[in-house]
Amino acid sequence: MPPAGIPEPDLHGIAFLARVLCGTAFALVHRPDAPLRGPAPPDLSASDAAALAALVADVRETPVVVPDLARHPRTAELSAVHGRAALRFYAGIPLPGSGGRRLGTLLVLDAAPRRGGLTGEQAAGLVTLANQGIRERDILHHLSGMKTERDDLRSITEAAPALIAALDRDEICRFANGNFSRWFGLDPDETVGRSLRAIVGEAFYDARRPLLARAFAGETVSFESPHPKADGRHALVRYEPHRGADRAVADLYLLGVDITAEKDARAALADSALKFRAIAESMPQMVWSTLPDGYHDYYNTRWYEFTGMPEGSTDGEGWNAIFHPGEQEEAWRRWRRSLSTGEPYEIEYRLRRHDGVYRWVLGRAVPIHDPESGAIERWFGTCTDIDDQVRARETLARGREELEAQVAERTAALAEANARLKAEIEERARIEEALHQAQKMEAVGQLTGGIAHDFNNLLTGIVGSLDLMQTRINEGRTQNLTRYAGLAMASAQRAAALTHRLLAFARRQPLEARATDVNRLVSSMDELLRRTLGERVRLEVVVAGGLWLTLCDPNQLENAILNLAINARDAMPDGGRLTIETANAHLDDAYVASEIGVRAGQYVCVCVSDTGAGMSPEVIQRAFDPFFTTKPIGQGTGLGLSMIYGFAKQSDGHVRIYSEVAEGTAVKLYLPRHSGRAVDEPVRATGMPVPRAEHGETVLVVEDDATVRALIGETLTDLGYRVIEAPDGPAGLRILEAPGRIDLVVTDVGLPGLNGRRMIDEALAARPDLRVLFITGYAENAAFGNGHLAPGMRMITKPFAIDAFAAKVRAMIEPGPS
Ligand code: ADP
Ligand code: MG
């Protein structure tokens, strides 16, 4: 089939011409699958027509002639032959088509056989006709094809993103597409028929002339050209010579592509690449870059300086060999993961320096994405030398570990030392406790030994005297009885003094502090001291004039002076001098600062000094210790100085020893000054007449010990007092709460049920002016605090001499000067 729009050759006309030429009744053109054309027999069937056409081969230069179809074996049976149409003569010739194919068959038919066939002219005429048909058709077809081609070409050139034009030898534009015309700011109509010189302008044309000449000489010329108006646009241009049939260049095709955008992009790219390189080179780090697949194609100078590798040798995967084998695998693993996921790459690894030393490096890389597609365009990476940091970090970590270890070690050592110390302290405490116990046992041994000795001596005196008295009484010899009684009494009083000393040492001695004139007290002791010291020791008493009064227990002071005198005597076995001095003293801050527990202020000082053996510093240091003695057992108790110390402290005073070995000793006793008046009272009652009751005064005696109660009661009765006795506190209280005269209560402190002190407290409600004499053993001292009593109340300590007791009672019942 001819292409659509191309006219068919006139097959009908050809068939008519053939019938005229051959003088037959019929002629037709047969083509498979097409209606017959021309004046054909009216009843010719399609199959008969095909059979008749088949008599002709495809290519023939002369017609096939069958003079009588009835005699031809391939046609005799056809209905067109022996049927009503009764066709007999036949001539056929193929109609050639394009490409050697047969377009159809031209048949000439007649009812009468024709023995002579066709004439030569008829045969040649048919051939011409057949070929004529095809030529016409070919021409038609060709023309139509040319038009299509031209239209196609036009469309293509218009659609092409290119500038297309054709110049003839005179440089006149024969053809130009829209792009070409528009490039020069012209209409396509204006371009065609114009000279190139007119289109591009004089100056521009002059510049192109050599290129045009080369192209017209047969050379394809390519070049990049700015727009003639220098408006920033650029084209890539090609002059393509086109040769005619004579092989000479007939035309020039002008082909151009607008490359402005590419050029700009290229320039931008070149610019950014330039910048990148500038930055990369200026960085202190090693910088590298790879293609999207990880192919390393760039390293900055820093990299080559560090690695010492020749330029280009680490491209691709060459870098991996410079990594420390310890990190190679991991670096690869991470790099591959980043390449596949696009995640940034970061790793610390050791990189071999040019000198073979591995240094720690921080490797980092990030991908650069195409802004439109998002695909990774490149990877940019850096390597930073962090060796110093890593080592510092390691040192730090090591340092910390070491420090921790050291601390742990120290802590353990400390804990161990602590445990050891604790154990030592415990051991020490145990030893001290044991020592203490041993010392206590030794002290108790010494004490009991000394006391037993003293008591035995005293008891010997008492018992011996009583024995003598009894013997004399039995014999009826009553002379000298008073002397023996006196001896017994003296021994008993010494025994009492001994217990006092014990109590004073225990500081449980109840004190009866009162304003005391020390000068008077010392003077009153003169006789006693002389007797105690014996003849070999000279006594000197130096009393100060204007001596202040002091507040203390005079009995204790007397006791203390006596003890000091005895010590002095003991230190002077071969005799010497004992001096007792009194003086006013002021202890200032400087003195006080060097002594513990002493208050600055005014004191009365009693100094007892001797010319005896003296004390070594060690003995001085221990002399006040209870039981410390340098004397043999039975001679010293070690309680004398201890008692004096206790007395001084209890009186808010102070005592100090000054001594030199072989020179002598001075003991200074300081007692606080008293600003009030001295109480005039007999210090010792011994030898004085016992005062008697005069006005029937009543004394209540509360005492649980029946013997003591009876003794006291008898003594008081003997003295002329009326006596009421009570065995315990509640009984005593009942009597006190009942009406009746009671001038004085003599009560033991240690009473069962209600102690003496509390009994009196309760009784005071009914009898506020009650006078009371307390009898105390040392244990009850606590009931009186530090020993200061309310007015009208006094105290006497067991054991006591009856005359002293009587004197006290008398003084209380009838106060005032005696
Ligand atoms: P004791 O007299 O029973 O030994 P003291 O407490 O009175 O106990 O005295 C303790 C010790 O102090 C004495 O044993 C003696 O060594 C020493 N001492 C006391 N007074 C003197 C003194 N005047 N001269 C030398 N030594 C003394
Ligand atoms: Mg002594």
Side-chain angles (χ1 to χ4, degrees):
M1 286 284 281
I6 297 178
E8 284 260 312
D10 187 7
L11 298 177
H12 217 70
I14 289 171
F16 267 104
L17 275 173
R19 188 178 72 163
V20 173
L21 179 67
C22 296
T24 55
F26 310 106
L28 61 102
V29 173
H30 168 265
R31 293 166 68 203
D33 306 325
L36 301 173
R37 296 293 178 97
D43 51 356
L44 183 64
S45 71
S47 60
D48 282 1
L52 292 173
L55 293 178
V56 183
D58 280 351
V59 180
R60 267 198 81 88
E61 290 188 357
T62 54
V64 174
V65 177
V66 180
D68 188 353
L69 290 171
R71 291 176 171 239
H72 192 281
R74 284 175 60 186
T75 58
E77 300 305 321
L78 294 174
S79 59
V81 176
H82 59 81
R84 213 160 53 85
L87 297 175
R88 298 300 286 270
F89 178 69
Y90 167 96
I93 188 161
L95 288 176
S98 55
R101 281 181 299 112
R102 178 158 143 186
L103 179 71
T105 313
L106 176 62
L107 301 176
V108 181
L109 299 165
D110 198 49
R114 206 184 272 192
R115 205 158 291 217
L118 293 177
T119 64
E121 290 80 28
Q122 284 173 329
L126 276 182
V127 169
T128 305
L129 261 179
N131 288 339
Q132 179 60 40
I134 191 60
R135 197 175 301 129
E136 184 193 10
R137 186 192 168 279
D138 277 353
I139 288 165
L140 281 172
H141 192 264
H142 191 65
L143 278 176
S144 127
M146 271 175 62
K147 184 174 175 333
T148 308
E149 258 169 49
R150 226 181 49 202
D151 285 352
D152 282 351
L153 283 173
R154 164 68 58 188
S155 303
I156 289 164
T157 56
E158 285 305 326
L163 321 176
I164 301 170
L167 287 188
D168 63 18
R169 283 223 67 112
D170 300 325
E171 298 179 359
I172 302 297
C173 182
R174 247 184 351 91
F175 173 87
N177 71 351
N179 282 337
F180 184 90
S181 306
R182 280 189 293 276
W183 181 259
F184 295 102
L186 298 171
D187 237 33
D189 301 346
E190 295 171 319
T191 321
V192 177
R194 263 181 133 153
S195 73
L196 184 65
R197 177 196 289 245
I199 292 169
V200 303
E202 195 73 31
F204 200 74
Y205 172 78
D206 279 348
R208 295 285 166 271
R209 217 152 54 179
L211 301 174
L212 285 166
R214 273 162 58 195
F216 276 119
E219 184 188 342
T220 299
V221 182
S222 291
F223 58 95
E224 228 178 86
S225 168
H227 194 272
K229 286 188 180 146
D231 59 1
R233 286 186 290 166
H234 281 266
L236 181 65
V237 182
R238 202 160 108 169
Y239 293 163
E240 184 75 54
H242 175 238
R243 294 169 191 278
D246 57 357
R247 305 304 301 155
V249 174
D251 309 288
L252 217 55
Y253 295 147
L254 268 58
L255 304 166
V257 179
D258 183 349
I259 54 162
T260 310
E262 284 88 329
K263 214 173 152 60
D264 286 353
R266 228 169 33 224
L269 204 68
D271 191 39
S272 75
L274 219 66
K275 278 183 191 151
F276 165 72
R277 259 160 211 270
I279 292 167
E281 286 302 328
S282 71
M283 277 166 79
Q285 285 115 317
M286 294 166 255
V287 179
W288 46 269
S289 178
T290 80
L291 297 179
D293 63 1
Y295 185 92
H296 283 61
D297 62 352
Y298 169 77
Y299 295 95
N300 70 351
T301 314
R302 229 42 83 245
W303 166 269
Y304 292 113
E305 280 171 359
F306 182 95
T307 59
M309 299 294 283
E311 206 158 315
S313 66
T314 53
D315 282 359
E317 292 173 5
W319 52 276
N320 200 35
I322 308 167
F323 279 33
H324 191 279
E327 282 91 47
Q328 274 181 11
E329 206 174 301
E330 178 64 10
W332 254 118
R333 199 183 60 74
R334 292 206 195 177
W335 180 227
R336 269 194 228 101
R337 203 190 53 207
S338 288
L339 286 178
S340 66
T341 59
E343 283 170 17
Y345 166 78
E346 181 167 329
I347 184 173
E348 285 181 9
Y349 52 83
R350 280 163 292 176
L351 201 62
R352 195 180 62 225
R353 203 167 54 183
H354 53 81
D355 55 2
V357 173
Y358 281 100
R359 287 181 70 82
W360 280 101
V361 160
L362 173 66
R364 273 198 179 130
V366 288
I368 303 295
H369 296 271
D370 182 273
E372 274 157 34
S373 70
I376 292 174
E377 276 188 335
R378 268 197 164 276
W379 286 85
F380 285 110
T382 56
C383 304
T384 312
D385 187 327
I386 54 163
D387 201 64
D388 294 344
Q389 287 103 298
V390 170
R391 289 190 198 289
R393 203 166 62 196
E394 280 172 0
T395 308
L396 216 67
R398 229 186 1 258
R400 204 167 44 223
E401 270 169 29
E402 272 167 21
L403 203 67
E404 276 167 9
Q406 274 174 14
V407 167
E409 208 172 284
R410 260 302 158 76
T411 309
L414 276 177
E416 197 185 306
N418 204 24
R420 230 175 19 234
L421 200 67
K422 224 174 116 183
E424 272 170 21
I425 287 171
E426 278 166 9
E427 174 66 7
R428 208 192 161 105
R430 209 180 53 70
I431 290 168
E432 267 175 15
E433 175 61 30
L435 195 65
H436 194 73
Q437 191 64 27
Q439 278 176 346
K440 210 162 83 184
M441 292 315 291
E442 191 190 313
V444 168
Q446 275 194 4
L447 175 68
T448 48
I451 290 169
H453 176 83
D454 284 6
F455 265 105
N456 275 337
N457 287 343
L458 298 168
L459 286 175
T460 307
I462 294 165
V463 171
S465 299
L466 291 174
D467 263 354
L468 280 171
M469 285 169 81
Q470 203 158 23
T471 313
R472 299 291 160 98
I473 289 165
N474 289 348
E475 291 172 353
R477 294 159 53 194
T478 53
Q479 72 269 37
N480 283 336
L481 277 186
T482 322
R483 202 169 72 84
Y484 295 129
L487 286 172
M489 183 60 74
S491 290
Q493 275 172 348
R494 287 224 303 283
L498 183 61
T499 50
H500 267 271
R501 265 187 282 159
L502 282 170
L503 291 170
F505 143 68
R507 296 193 205 161
R508 280 168 173 160
Q509 171 70 33
L511 295 184
E512 277 190 286
R514 69 185 84 133
T516 304
D517 179 346
V518 177
N519 279 350
R520 218 181 118 191
L521 184 137
V522 171
S523 302
S524 76
M525 288 177 71
D526 198 74
E527 181 58 31
L528 174 72
L529 290 169
R530 281 180 206 286
R531 255 195 283 153
T532 309
L533 296 171
E535 282 168 5
R536 278 197 275 187
V537 174
R538 203 150 35 88
L539 173 67
E540 278 180 26
V541 177
V542 185
V543 295
L547 190 72
W548 298 323
L549 293 178
T550 179
L551 189 67
C552 69
D553 184 324
N555 292 322
Q556 291 297 316
L557 177 56
E558 192 184 322
N559 200 3
I561 293 169
L562 189 63
N563 263 290
L564 291 173
I566 291 168
N567 278 351
R569 182 202 64 195
D570 292 347
M572 300 183 288
D574 301 325
R577 189 176 66 243
L578 172 78
T579 310
I580 299 176
E581 286 171 277
T582 62
N584 288 335
H586 187 89
L587 297 187
D588 59 7
D589 291 337
Y591 180 91
V592 165
S594 63
E595 301 283 331
I596 294 163
V598 187
R599 275 205 302 263
Q602 295 177 316
Y603 291 84
V604 171
C605 178
V606 184
C607 178
V608 179
S609 50
D610 62 60
T611 56
M615 301 185 220
S616 66
E618 294 77 40
V619 173
I620 294 175
Q621 207 170 16
R622 298 188 59 195
F624 288 122
D625 288 358
F627 309 117
F628 175 78
T629 179
T630 58
K631 296 166 191 172
I633 285 183
Q635 288 182 28
T637 56
L639 290 173
L641 287 178
S642 153
M643 181 276 281
I644 291 166
Y645 185 84
F647 162 66
K649 288 288 147 194
Q650 252 185 314
S651 308
D652 291 327
H654 176 52
V655 60
R656 187 153 174 195
I657 298 169
Y658 301 86
S659 184
E660 294 270 339
V661 173
E663 292 292 324
T665 302
V667 178
K668 286 189 176 179
L669 180 60
Y670 296 88
L671 293 165
R673 180 186 180 181
H674 177 63
S675 6
R677 259 181 5 97
V679 176
D680 215 2
E681 202 184 326
V683 176
R684 287 181 67 83
T686 322
M688 290 179 76
V690 173
R692 289 189 55 88
E694 281 153 26
H695 309 292
E697 290 92 344
T698 306
V699 179
L700 170 62
V701 177
V702 189
E703 169 63 66
D704 58 327
D705 186 311
T707 313
V708 176
R709 189 169 68 235
L711 187 64
I712 292 171
E714 252 169 66
T715 307
L716 290 171
T717 308
D718 279 0
L719 289 170
Y721 296 112
R722 199 167 72 84
V723 175
I724 308 168
E725 292 182 14
D728 55 29
L733 189 56
R734 269 196 303 278
I735 294 161
L736 283 166
E737 282 171 347
R741 177 175 175 175
I742 293 173
D743 296 282
L744 178 71
V745 181
V746 174
T747 178
D748 194 12
V749 174
L751 288 174
L754 184 65
N755 76 34
R757 174 94 204 188
R758 288 185 50 207
M759 177 190 74
I760 296 300
D761 282 348
E762 293 195 21
L764 282 173
R767 298 173 186 263
D769 300 323
L770 195 63
R771 279 173 283 184
V772 184
L773 177 60
F774 288 106
I775 305 168
T776 76
Y778 71 88
E780 288 85 30
N781 190 31
F784 298 97
N786 218 12
H788 295 286
L789 292 169
M793 299 196 187
R794 302 295 280 277
M795 184 159 44
I796 190 164
T797 312
K798 286 183 197 169
F800 47 80
I802 287 300
D803 55 350
F805 171 73
K808 223 161 200 163
V809 168
R810 191 76 224 157
M812 290 187 72
I813 289 177
E814 286 179 21
S818 51

